[in-house]
Amino acid sequence: MSLAIIDMVGLHHSPPRINAFTRHFWQNLSIGLFETTRCRVCRAVSFPPKAWCAKCSGRDVEWISLSGDGLLYSLTTVHAGPPALMRDGPYSGAIIDTAEGVRLIAPWLGPHDTALDAKIELVVTRYENGSFFAARPKS
Amino acid sequence: MTHSVAIIGAAASPVGRWAPKEGEEAQAFEQDILANIALNALGQAGLTARDVQSAAFTQPSPSTKQLGFATFMAARLGLRCTGSLGQVAELGITGGLAFDQAMADVALGRADVALALGIAYQSNATFEMVMDHSVRAVGDVDFQSPFGLTPISWYAFDAARYMHETGVGRADIAHVAIKSRAMAKSNPLAQFRKDLTLEDVLAQRMIVSPLGLFEVPSMADGAICLVLGREDVARAKGYDYVRVTGRGFCHDGNHQIGDQPHDITAFPAAAEASHSALKEASLNLADIDAAELYAPCTITEVLASEAVGFCKRGQGAADALAGETSIGGRIPINTSGGCLSRGHPPALTALYGVLELREQLLGRAAGRQVEGAKRALHLCELGNYNAALAHVLEVAQ
């Protein structure tokens, strides 16, 4: 269940902002575990993780682990973006549907012309000032 | 207590890049430009500031120094509101909410005359500030914004998915830019009016793949004021007016995307809002003669046209190419030139869209007139059409 960890050079321009609840997510991510919340009552899975359920309004949630497997739902390459991100040239972002039925956005580390619906894996990108997640074609 | 609402006056600046740059001596400040426009709009109905009971301002841009802009402007103009006065703001639907609030105040009897107005400067903000604000607006600042997805990146996601699912190509979708330009040529308010070919569009550099420079909106400034009033008063006084006969709103529950898989190209809020508005107006989609659909990118017009039902699924681009959505076609869409050619100051785009339909219904859209247009649909949105607001406008009876 552990995600590959990729060491990145330098600092992330916008390191994770952590609170008492999301600390669990970011700390686990930094060791390769991608966790999110599920409602104990209606079983709805949420991403980002949160302390309540947007489906049934319940407040009883539990942490679950995602496998990191999923499909590439959509993909774009940004050629005009925030200067801090454009320093290394155009960058890509993806909409990912995880195997557990959760949709999320992630930086795309694969080829910019990857065909949609391709199998993907989530990875951890570890910067000097914090860890994020990203996606790439499943190896 | 429910009154029929009419649009009885309107004035606007051309859309373009005319905001004074930082450090330049300005010819006029925001209040000077907007006051001039508001007085012109009121003057069309023979009204003065003292005749106004409500004013809904769009929130000015971050580069506007003056805060508390609504009461500041009210004081400068000489408004004495007893209905309501304030700013409204929520991303791209801002202008629509201002119009909606002014309309509600007239309908509820809070105001005989209500203004929906604003000024938006985009071109004088630094690229860094625009980008910082935009990625924070269209994503979760903790779990999405750090990845740098700009507002139009989300429409690029739509385009990539739509092309994958339907087999429709970029060049097909790009035709929306050509037909928008053709109609904008005769719109004196339009930002871009030079001839444009498909080769021109496809030759531009990528901005957010698969969309290039001419498939996405440019930076633009604008200023506009619409005057709304009770229809019975407008009729009695013999004003030239159009009626607002239907209204619908829907939020799909998402901020850009949901956390469960869903079809991002379906725009269900667009369908729901426009159908609610048509139902209130007791009209069918086939009764509509012209439509303005908020569409920052080529793909957005295609998807909104399909979601509302003007075009079949997968046919939006082909219909644009066939002239079905141009003047003389089955359903002219964005005769103003839309966001791509009329221009797109986001907070005001909806107000410019309503203005275009008023021109059409009054028979004043010279060079791009939809002959005999009697009923029109306006649709605006925020996010990735997550929320949509529709209004039906009709000619005076």
Side-chain angles (χ1 to χ4, degrees):
Chain A
M1 297 287 263
S2 205
L3 309 187
I5 296 176
I6 302 172
D7 279 311
M8 310 297 281
V9 178
L11 301 174
H12 193 279
H13 72 283
S14 174
R17 187 177 67 150
I18 295 169
N19 67 28
F21 186 81
T22 61
R23 181 175 306 281
H24 180 97
F25 174 83
W26 296 109
Q27 279 185 346
N28 277 285
L29 187 70
S30 70
I31 56 168
L33 296 176
F34 194 105
E35 301 216 338
T36 193
T37 49
R38 179 170 64 192
C39 176
R40 280 204 176 94
V41 179
C42 78
R43 314 298 286 170
V45 181
S46 170
F47 190 82
K50 53 185 183 290
W52 62 93
C53 177
K55 193 174 176 193
C56 74
S57 297
R59 289 193 179 89
D60 185 11
V61 304
E62 61 190 350
W63 288 95
I64 60 164
S65 205
L66 301 192
S67 62
D69 288 339
L71 297 176
L72 178 64
Y73 179 76
S74 196
L75 178 62
T76 184
T77 299
V78 179
H79 296 256
L85 275 148
M86 288 299 296
R87 272 195 303 248
D88 302 323
Y91 54 91
S92 299
I95 299 177
I96 299 299
D97 288 337
T98 69
E100 295 80 6
V102 175
R103 174 166 289 183
L104 51 84
I105 299 295
W108 179 247
L109 305 182
H112 67 84
D113 56 354
T114 305
L116 302 191
D117 295 332
K119 287 184 179 171
I120 68 93
E121 60 184 5
L122 295 176
V123 297
V124 175
T125 48
R126 188 161 62 193
Y127 295 81
E128 288 172 21
N129 57 345
S131 293
F132 268 105
F133 52 93
R136 67 182 185 189
K138 174 108 175 138
S139 54
Chain B
M1 178 136 128
T2 298
H3 302 287
S4 180
V5 181
I7 304 173
I8 58 177
S13 75
V15 176
R17 296 185 180 201
W18 45 261
K21 302 283 178 292
E22 177 84 30
E24 264 179 22
E25 183 175 307
Q27 291 285 317
F29 295 130
E30 288 90 330
Q31 62 267 27
D32 308 313
I33 293 164
L34 188 55
N36 195 39
I37 284 166
L39 293 175
N40 286 347
L42 284 166
Q44 287 178 5
L47 299 172
T48 72
R50 295 302 172 97
D51 297 312
V52 174
Q53 287 83 38
S54 290
F57 288 82
T58 58
Q59 187 181 59
S61 310
S63 69
T64 289
K65 187 172 184 184
Q66 182 67 54
L67 298 180
F69 196 78
T71 50
F72 169 78
M73 265 318 292
R76 282 300 179 94
L77 274 168
L79 304 181
R80 297 283 189 276
C81 292
T82 52
S84 70
L85 170 67
Q87 294 180 16
V88 297
E90 187 62 2
L91 308 175
I93 210 166
T94 295
L97 293 180
F99 181 76
D100 208 43
Q101 165 131 351
M103 186 189 103
D105 273 23
V106 174
L108 292 171
R110 293 172 181 163
D112 290 343
V113 176
L115 306 182
L117 73 170
I119 182 163
Y121 282 175
Q122 261 195 324
S123 70
N124 63 354
T126 65
F127 185 71
E128 227 156 348
M129 183 171 80
V130 170
M131 283 295 161
D132 175 60
H133 279 243
S134 66
V135 300
R136 285 163 55 200
V138 297
D140 179 308
V141 296
D142 296 305
F143 292 87
Q144 293 173 342
S145 305
F147 308 150
L149 292 165
T150 57
I152 53 175
S153 309
W154 295 89
Y155 300 126
F157 278 142
D158 295 340
R161 189 69 206 179
Y162 182 79
M163 289 161 61
H164 176 74
E165 287 186 4
T166 63
V168 173
R170 179 189 166 203
D172 304 320
I173 298 168
H175 197 81
V176 169
I178 314 300
K179 69 110 189 166
S180 299
R181 183 61 59 88
M183 294 196 274
K185 277 189 196 172
S186 54
N187 182 357
L189 300 181
Q191 183 175 17
F192 300 109
R193 280 177 278 172
K194 283 187 197 154
D195 280 323
L196 190 65
T197 66
L198 187 61
E199 290 69 35
D200 294 333
V201 177
L202 297 178
Q204 301 306 309
R205 65 188 168 93
M206 274 293 152
I207 300 297
V208 280
S209 69
L211 304 174
L213 185 65
F214 290 175
E215 293 150 275
V216 303
S218 183
M219 291 283 174
D221 311 312
I224 184 168
C225 177
L226 302 182
V227 186
L228 285 73
R230 280 173 50 168
E231 190 197 358
D232 53 357
V233 177
R235 190 187 302 119
K237 294 200 173 176
Y239 295 153
D240 290 329
Y241 68 90
V242 300
R243 301 182 296 146
V244 190
T245 56
R247 180 266 191 199
F249 178 86
C250 179
H251 176 218
D252 68 8
N254 296 325
H255 187 66
Q256 303 298 147
I257 57 163
D259 61 5
Q260 311 294 313
H262 58 101
D263 180 1
I264 61 169
T265 67
F267 293 0
E272 178 74 29
S274 50
H275 296 166
S276 299
L278 288 165
K279 190 176 175 192
E280 187 176 30
S282 302
L283 294 176
N284 295 311
L285 199 57
D287 298 323
I288 296 298
D289 302 312
E292 287 283 311
L293 309 178
Y294 183 109
C297 300
T298 46
I299 182 66
T300 329
E301 181 174 312
V302 169
L303 297 183
S305 303
E306 294 180 6
V308 171
F310 288 130
C311 305
K312 291 199 178 79
R313 169 76 177 168
Q315 284 297 305
D319 285 356
L321 177 60
E324 299 268 292
T325 57
S326 292
I327 309 295
R330 183 167 48 80
I331 173 66
I333 293 174
N334 292 343
T335 56
S336 63
C339 293
L340 293 167
S341 284
R342 186 273 322 288
H344 182 47
L348 303 180
T349 287
L351 294 174
Y352 275 95
V354 172
L355 172 65
E356 172 67 12
L357 295 178
R358 173 181 181 263
E359 300 302 289
Q360 289 289 352
L361 296 176
L362 292 177
R364 294 175 181 170
R368 62 184 193 289
Q369 180 65 44
V370 178
E371 287 308 321
K374 289 187 168 56
R375 303 172 195 94
L377 178 72
H378 184 264
L379 181 66
C380 58
E381 60 113 8
L382 60 71
N384 189 41
Y385 259 94
N386 301 114
L389 176 60
H391 292 95
V392 174
L393 308 182
E394 297 187 56
V395 293
Q397 281 177 323

mmCIF file of all heavy atoms in Angstrom, chain B residues 189-209:
data_model
loop_
_atom_site.group_PDB
_atom_site.id
_atom_site.type_symbol
_atom_site.label_atom_id
_atom_site.label_comp_id
_atom_site.label_asym_id
_atom_site.label_seq_id
_atom_site.Cartn_x
_atom_site.Cartn_y
_atom_site.Cartn_z
ATOM 1 N N LEU B 189 -18.762 47.306 -29.048
ATOM 2 C CA LEU B 189 -18.164 47.120 -27.724
ATOM 3 C C LEU B 189 -17.091 46.035 -27.710
ATOM 4 O O LEU B 189 -16.425 45.829 -26.697
ATOM 5 C CB LEU B 189 -19.248 46.744 -26.703
ATOM 6 C CG LEU B 189 -20.381 47.752 -26.495
ATOM 7 C CD1 LEU B 189 -21.356 47.237 -25.438
ATOM 8 C CD2 LEU B 189 -19.833 49.121 -26.081
ATOM 9 N N ALA B 190 -16.919 45.334 -28.832
ATOM 10 C CA ALA B 190 -16.064 44.138 -28.830
ATOM 11 C C ALA B 190 -14.575 44.477 -28.779
ATOM 12 O O ALA B 190 -14.105 45.427 -29.400
ATOM 13 C CB ALA B 190 -16.362 43.284 -30.050
ATOM 14 N N GLN B 191 -13.860 43.625 -28.062
ATOM 15 C CA GLN B 191 -12.406 43.789 -27.897
ATOM 16 C C GLN B 191 -11.653 43.440 -29.176
ATOM 17 O O GLN B 191 -10.661 44.095 -29.501
ATOM 18 C CB GLN B 191 -11.941 42.878 -26.747
ATOM 19 C CG GLN B 191 -10.463 42.990 -26.400
ATOM 20 C CD GLN B 191 -10.086 42.163 -25.172
ATOM 21 O OE1 GLN B 191 -10.826 41.273 -24.758
ATOM 22 N NE2 GLN B 191 -8.949 42.478 -24.584
ATOM 23 N N PHE B 192 -12.094 42.393 -29.881
ATOM 24 C CA PHE B 192 -11.376 41.927 -31.074
ATOM 25 C C PHE B 192 -12.336 41.886 -32.267
ATOM 26 O O PHE B 192 -13.353 41.204 -32.225
ATOM 27 C CB PHE B 192 -10.787 40.537 -30.834
ATOM 28 C CG PHE B 192 -9.818 40.486 -29.681
ATOM 29 C CD1 PHE B 192 -10.166 39.846 -28.500
ATOM 30 C CD2 PHE B 192 -8.578 41.100 -29.766
ATOM 31 C CE1 PHE B 192 -9.281 39.805 -27.425
ATOM 32 C CE2 PHE B 192 -7.680 41.068 -28.692
ATOM 33 C CZ PHE B 192 -8.034 40.421 -27.519
ATOM 34 N N ARG B 193 -11.978 42.609 -33.348
ATOM 35 C CA ARG B 193 -12.890 42.682 -34.490
ATOM 36 C C ARG B 193 -12.216 42.428 -35.836
ATOM 37 O O ARG B 193 -12.830 42.553 -36.875
ATOM 38 C CB ARG B 193 -13.599 44.047 -34.497
ATOM 39 C CG ARG B 193 -14.766 44.087 -33.512
ATOM 40 C CD ARG B 193 -15.429 45.433 -33.466
ATOM 41 N NE ARG B 193 -14.704 46.348 -32.596
ATOM 42 C CZ ARG B 193 -14.985 47.644 -32.496
ATOM 43 N NH1 ARG B 193 -15.941 48.178 -33.224
ATOM 44 N NH2 ARG B 193 -14.298 48.402 -31.669
ATOM 45 N N LYS B 194 -10.926 42.088 -35.797
ATOM 46 C CA LYS B 194 -10.235 41.792 -37.064
ATOM 47 C C LYS B 194 -10.604 40.403 -37.552
ATOM 48 O O LYS B 194 -10.932 39.531 -36.754
ATOM 49 C CB LYS B 194 -8.713 41.838 -36.848
ATOM 50 C CG LYS B 194 -8.146 43.232 -36.762
ATOM 51 C CD LYS B 194 -6.620 43.142 -36.729
ATOM 52 C CE LYS B 194 -6.012 44.437 -36.224
ATOM 53 N NZ LYS B 194 -4.700 44.235 -35.600
ATOM 54 N N ASP B 195 -10.458 40.201 -38.869
ATOM 55 C CA ASP B 195 -10.729 38.882 -39.438
ATOM 56 C C ASP B 195 -9.878 37.818 -38.770
ATOM 57 O O ASP B 195 -8.737 38.073 -38.378
ATOM 58 C CB ASP B 195 -10.398 38.876 -40.941
ATOM 59 C CG ASP B 195 -11.515 39.500 -41.749
ATOM 60 O OD1 ASP B 195 -12.682 39.303 -41.391
ATOM 61 O OD2 ASP B 195 -11.194 40.215 -42.723
ATOM 62 N N LEU B 196 -10.434 36.634 -38.686
ATOM 63 C CA LEU B 196 -9.714 35.537 -38.044
ATOM 64 C C LEU B 196 -9.991 34.268 -38.852
ATOM 65 O O LEU B 196 -11.136 33.991 -39.216
ATOM 66 C CB LEU B 196 -10.238 35.363 -36.612
ATOM 67 C CG LEU B 196 -9.480 34.442 -35.673
ATOM 68 C CD1 LEU B 196 -8.073 34.996 -35.390
ATOM 69 C CD2 LEU B 196 -10.246 34.311 -34.358
ATOM 70 N N THR B 197 -8.931 33.523 -39.147
ATOM 71 C CA THR B 197 -9.116 32.259 -39.867
ATOM 72 C C THR B 197 -8.781 31.094 -38.941
ATOM 73 O O THR B 197 -8.121 31.278 -37.907
ATOM 74 C CB THR B 197 -8.186 32.164 -41.096
ATOM 75 O OG1 THR B 197 -6.825 32.097 -40.622
ATOM 76 C CG2 THR B 197 -8.349 33.365 -42.010
ATOM 77 N N LEU B 198 -9.204 29.916 -39.357
ATOM 78 C CA LEU B 198 -8.908 28.716 -38.571
ATOM 79 C C LEU B 198 -7.395 28.511 -38.463
ATOM 80 O O LEU B 198 -6.887 28.123 -37.407
ATOM 81 C CB LEU B 198 -9.570 27.493 -39.218
ATOM 82 C CG LEU B 198 -9.480 26.196 -38.421
ATOM 83 C CD1 LEU B 198 -10.166 26.329 -37.066
ATOM 84 C CD2 LEU B 198 -10.083 25.037 -39.208
ATOM 85 N N GLU B 199 -6.683 28.827 -39.559
ATOM 86 C CA GLU B 199 -5.220 28.688 -39.534
ATOM 87 C C GLU B 199 -4.622 29.593 -38.464
ATOM 88 O O GLU B 199 -3.707 29.202 -37.735
ATOM 89 C CB GLU B 199 -4.618 29.039 -40.905
ATOM 90 C CG GLU B 199 -4.923 28.036 -42.008
ATOM 91 C CD GLU B 199 -6.406 28.024 -42.413
ATOM 92 O OE1 GLU B 199 -7.045 29.102 -42.395
ATOM 93 O OE2 GLU B 199 -6.928 26.938 -42.708
ATOM 94 N N ASP B 200 -5.159 30.845 -38.377
ATOM 95 C CA ASP B 200 -4.684 31.770 -37.334
ATOM 96 C C ASP B 200 -4.867 31.148 -35.951
ATOM 97 O O ASP B 200 -3.979 31.202 -35.096
ATOM 98 C CB ASP B 200 -5.500 33.084 -37.346
ATOM 99 C CG ASP B 200 -5.289 33.903 -38.603
ATOM 100 O OD1 ASP B 200 -4.215 33.779 -39.218
ATOM 101 O OD2 ASP B 200 -6.208 34.677 -38.957
ATOM 102 N N VAL B 201 -6.041 30.597 -35.730
ATOM 103 C CA VAL B 201 -6.356 30.069 -34.393
ATOM 104 C C VAL B 201 -5.429 28.916 -34.041
ATOM 105 O O VAL B 201 -4.851 28.868 -32.953
ATOM 106 C CB VAL B 201 -7.834 29.612 -34.314
ATOM 107 C CG1 VAL B 201 -8.131 29.003 -32.952
ATOM 108 C CG2 VAL B 201 -8.775 30.784 -34.579
ATOM 109 N N LEU B 202 -5.262 28.009 -35.008
ATOM 110 C CA LEU B 202 -4.479 26.802 -34.719
ATOM 111 C C LEU B 202 -2.978 27.076 -34.662
ATOM 112 O O LEU B 202 -2.217 26.278 -34.114
ATOM 113 C CB LEU B 202 -4.779 25.720 -35.764
ATOM 114 C CG LEU B 202 -6.233 25.243 -35.782
ATOM 115 C CD1 LEU B 202 -6.448 24.204 -36.872
ATOM 116 C CD2 LEU B 202 -6.651 24.680 -34.423
ATOM 117 N N ALA B 203 -2.561 28.225 -35.204
ATOM 118 C CA ALA B 203 -1.127 28.544 -35.226
ATOM 119 C C ALA B 203 -0.644 29.184 -33.922
ATOM 120 O O ALA B 203 0.561 29.336 -33.718
ATOM 121 C CB ALA B 203 -0.822 29.490 -36.387
ATOM 122 N N GLN B 204 -1.566 29.552 -33.054
ATOM 123 C CA GLN B 204 -1.158 30.234 -31.824
ATOM 124 C C GLN B 204 -0.483 29.276 -30.847
ATOM 125 O O GLN B 204 -0.716 28.076 -30.875
ATOM 126 C CB GLN B 204 -2.369 30.888 -31.147
ATOM 127 C CG GLN B 204 -3.080 31.901 -32.017
ATOM 128 C CD GLN B 204 -2.143 32.971 -32.545
ATOM 129 O OE1 GLN B 204 -1.399 33.594 -31.779
ATOM 130 N NE2 GLN B 204 -2.158 33.182 -33.843
ATOM 131 N N ARG B 205 0.302 29.868 -29.958
ATOM 132 C CA ARG B 205 0.979 29.051 -28.955
ATOM 133 C C ARG B 205 -0.036 28.479 -27.967
ATOM 134 O O ARG B 205 -1.091 29.062 -27.731
ATOM 135 C CB ARG B 205 2.039 29.874 -28.215
ATOM 136 C CG ARG B 205 1.480 31.005 -27.392
ATOM 137 C CD ARG B 205 2.608 31.894 -26.858
ATOM 138 N NE ARG B 205 2.070 33.132 -26.317
ATOM 139 C CZ ARG B 205 1.749 33.293 -25.032
ATOM 140 N NH1 ARG B 205 1.911 32.322 -24.167
ATOM 141 N NH2 ARG B 205 1.262 34.447 -24.614
ATOM 142 N N MET B 206 0.329 27.335 -27.402
ATOM 143 C CA MET B 206 -0.517 26.700 -26.391
ATOM 144 C C MET B 206 -0.571 27.565 -25.130
ATOM 145 O O MET B 206 0.438 28.148 -24.725
ATOM 146 C CB MET B 206 0.059 25.334 -26.010
ATOM 147 C CG MET B 206 -0.384 24.214 -26.912
ATOM 148 S SD MET B 206 -2.149 23.932 -26.685
ATOM 149 C CE MET B 206 -2.539 23.284 -28.308
ATOM 150 N N ILE B 207 -1.749 27.590 -24.522
ATOM 151 C CA ILE B 207 -1.894 28.240 -23.208
ATOM 152 C C ILE B 207 -2.176 27.175 -22.153
ATOM 153 O O ILE B 207 -1.454 27.055 -21.164
ATOM 154 C CB ILE B 207 -3.022 29.298 -23.230
ATOM 155 C CG1 ILE B 207 -2.710 30.380 -24.278
ATOM 156 C CG2 ILE B 207 -3.174 29.921 -21.839
ATOM 157 C CD1 ILE B 207 -1.463 31.194 -24.020
ATOM 158 N N VAL B 208 -3.235 26.420 -22.377
ATOM 159 C CA VAL B 208 -3.512 25.231 -21.550
ATOM 160 C C VAL B 208 -3.947 24.144 -22.535
ATOM 161 O O VAL B 208 -5.036 24.189 -23.066
ATOM 162 C CB VAL B 208 -4.618 25.480 -20.491
ATOM 163 C CG1 VAL B 208 -4.073 26.213 -19.278
ATOM 164 C CG2 VAL B 208 -5.789 26.254 -21.080
ATOM 165 N N SER B 209 -3.070 23.188 -22.780
ATOM 166 C CA SER B 209 -3.366 22.213 -23.837
ATOM 167 C C SER B 209 -4.656 21.461 -23.521
ATOM 168 O O SER B 209 -4.888 21.141 -22.357
ATOM 169 C CB SER B 209 -2.207 21.225 -23.985
ATOM 170 O OG SER B 209 -2.121 20.392 -22.846
#
